[in-house]
Amino acid sequence: MPKIVSSSVVSSSDHATKPDNQPKSLHVYYCLCSEFALVIDADLRQLPRRRTDNAIIISNTRRTYKLTAEAGECVLLKRREGYEKQFRYHCPRCQLVIAYEMNEHRKSGAYTYVLDGALTENQGHAPANAIIDVVPISASSSAQA
């Protein structure tokens, strides 16, 4: 009878370490519809934000990330300083715009911007800044105005 030899390799993410011996951690984010959208090597809450629209700034040279979004339309916005061209990315499931870049090709520019409130860490739960309370206008108050 022939001898059967087998081997197995166990891989774990806790074996990967940073140069300062701290374990690497990946952060996973979901669209508001619960679709997987982003995995990144940093906590989005710790990243800088844009002053114009409070979008989260992800450096394409300093960060390692994977954005699973589909390229959408190009939008031209008027800002105080002039005009801004945004190449938007949307959720493949619900079509919600979740990010944008200033260049047409993905990661070809310096930064990728994630819209404020578009992603959540907890699948199926919207972040607090995703919902804006709107005060309903009654018919009587609109008639007086």
Side-chain angles (χ1 to χ4, degrees):
M1 184 170 261
K3 192 176 201 179
I4 298 174
V5 178
S6 67
S7 66
S8 62
V9 176
V10 177
S11 177
S12 176
S13 62
D14 62 350
H15 293 296
T17 57
K18 291 182 182 177
D20 55 355
N21 293 330
Q22 293 180 355
K24 288 183 181 178
S25 62
L26 294 176
H27 299 268
V28 179
Y29 294 92
Y30 303 92
C31 177
L32 300 181
C33 71
S34 299
E35 181 76 9
F36 168 76
L38 175 71
V39 61
I40 188 169
D41 64 348
D43 186 354
L44 290 183
R45 294 174 295 207
Q46 304 302 319
L47 294 179
R49 292 186 174 259
R50 249 186 119 186
R51 289 183 189 146
T52 56
D53 58 1
N54 204 32
I56 300 164
I57 303 170
I58 299 176
S59 172
N60 289 333
T61 57
R62 294 186 187 146
R63 294 283 163 219
T64 302
Y65 70 94
K66 170 122 174 114
L67 179 66
T68 57
E70 295 177 350
E73 70 280 353
C74 175
V75 177
L76 190 64
L77 299 174
K78 186 173 182 178
R79 301 277 191 204
R80 282 188 208 160
E81 304 83 30
Y83 292 93
E84 177 179 294
K85 189 183 264 190
Q86 292 182 356
F87 294 90
R88 295 186 171 182
Y89 295 100
H90 57 83
C91 173
R93 184 178 184 190
C94 70
Q95 305 301 313
L96 176 72
V97 177
I98 56 176
Y100 64 91
E101 291 189 9
M102 300 299 173
N103 293 343
E104 186 174 4
H105 302 289
R106 191 175 292 212
K107 291 189 178 182
S108 63
Y111 304 106
T112 297
Y113 304 94
V114 175
L115 294 176
D116 186 36
L119 300 179
T120 179
E121 283 184 288
N122 300 322
Q123 193 173 19
H125 293 86
N129 58 348
I131 301 169
I132 299 172
D133 288 334
V134 178
V135 179
I137 299 175
S138 66
S140 62
S141 64
S142 63
Q144 296 171 359

